[in-house]
Amino acid sequence: MKSMTGGSTDDLGLSDDEKEAMEERFKKGEMSFEDFLKQVQLMQRVGSLSSMVSKVPGLGGKVPDARQLEEGQKRLTRYSKFVEQMSEEEKLQPELIINEAQQLKNGGAAGERLLRIGTAAGGEAQEVAKFALEFNVMRGAAVKLAAGEAPEASQRDMAAEQAAVSGPKNRAMRRMAKKQSKKKGKAG
């Protein structure tokens, strides 16, 4: 079985049954945080992020610049720390964290789990929430790819969903977006 990073899951030390179970979870959109952590560990063992990205279908072999790759690697390391701070129940049932993240995104208070994980990982509940929501988007993209959707279409959908995950924009961002839309209106 290929991992979501393009490497083989043989490097994870999983039995054939465990590999098949993981593949089924990916196809059904039931990937757990534990699965995510195993994928990140595989990526770290197999090679650099740039070599992994160059193998991703739909990118046409294009590799992001060094700064983007470094940011991506830092983000994966950070997200791994969040998962490491989760209880076994939370790792296996991502909805526990995702539900709290959605409540926070919708203006509610940070849940107990988000606060505990953020504090234990040396971060904030908002960072954990952002990760959980991005993870949820990634699970949806895995289902679409497994169903045979074109990687390019899945990439566009994922980018749009991740933009929505970012939450409400601050005033400066809203003003800039408004200015840009006015410029487009005048130009068109």
Side-chain angles (χ1 to χ4, degrees):
M1 173 183 134
K2 290 275 188 186
S3 76
M4 67 182 193
T5 60
S8 168
T9 54
D10 294 340
D11 299 328
L12 292 173
L14 300 174
S15 71
D16 288 340
D17 289 342
E18 290 171 319
K19 291 176 199 173
E20 286 179 27
M22 183 185 284
E23 186 174 6
E24 277 304 306
R25 287 192 300 274
F26 280 31
K27 287 179 180 177
K28 292 179 179 178
E30 298 172 354
M31 179 173 53
S32 68
F33 286 124
E34 187 67 33
D35 294 331
F36 170 82
L37 191 57
K38 287 177 184 174
Q39 290 290 320
V40 172
Q41 290 167 347
L42 167 69
M43 208 166 61
Q44 290 170 341
R45 273 189 240 146
V46 172
S48 71
L49 185 57
S50 64
S51 68
M52 293 291 159
V53 170
S54 68
K55 296 175 187 174
V56 173
L59 292 182
K62 298 176 194 165
V63 179
D65 66 37
R67 183 185 54 77
Q68 291 172 317
L69 289 170
E70 185 179 330
E71 287 174 15
Q73 187 62 49
K74 284 180 183 177
R75 190 169 34 243
L76 287 175
T77 300
R78 185 87 180 125
Y79 290 171
S80 294
K81 288 180 183 177
F82 293 150
V83 175
E84 290 167 356
Q85 298 305 319
M86 293 177 186
S87 69
E88 284 305 309
E89 179 185 32
E90 293 164 342
K91 288 178 187 176
L92 297 174
Q93 297 177 31
E95 289 73 20
L96 297 171
I97 305 296
I98 292 168
N99 290 341
E100 283 191 14
Q102 288 172 332
Q103 288 175 350
L104 181 61
K105 180 183 174 209
N106 293 332
E112 203 175 290
R113 294 173 193 271
L114 295 177
L115 290 168
R116 177 183 46 79
I117 294 165
T119 301
E124 296 182 12
Q126 290 80 2
E127 291 176 279
V128 180
K130 182 179 180 193
F131 160 61
L133 294 171
E134 286 179 2
F135 171 84
N136 200 35
V137 169
M138 185 176 60
R139 286 196 318 177
V143 170
K144 290 175 183 177
L145 287 172
E149 185 173 306
E152 296 81 9
S154 188
Q155 235 179 349
R156 279 192 308 272
D157 293 347
M158 199 164 139
E161 289 176 32
Q162 283 185 325
V165 163
S166 298
K169 297 178 180 176
N170 65 30
R171 186 188 309 177
M173 292 171 76
R174 286 192 305 266
R175 286 180 178 168
M176 185 184 304
K178 190 175 181 179
K179 240 184 197 179
Q180 288 175 344
S181 69
K182 282 184 181 180
K183 284 181 183 177
K184 286 180 185 176
K186 288 179 182 178

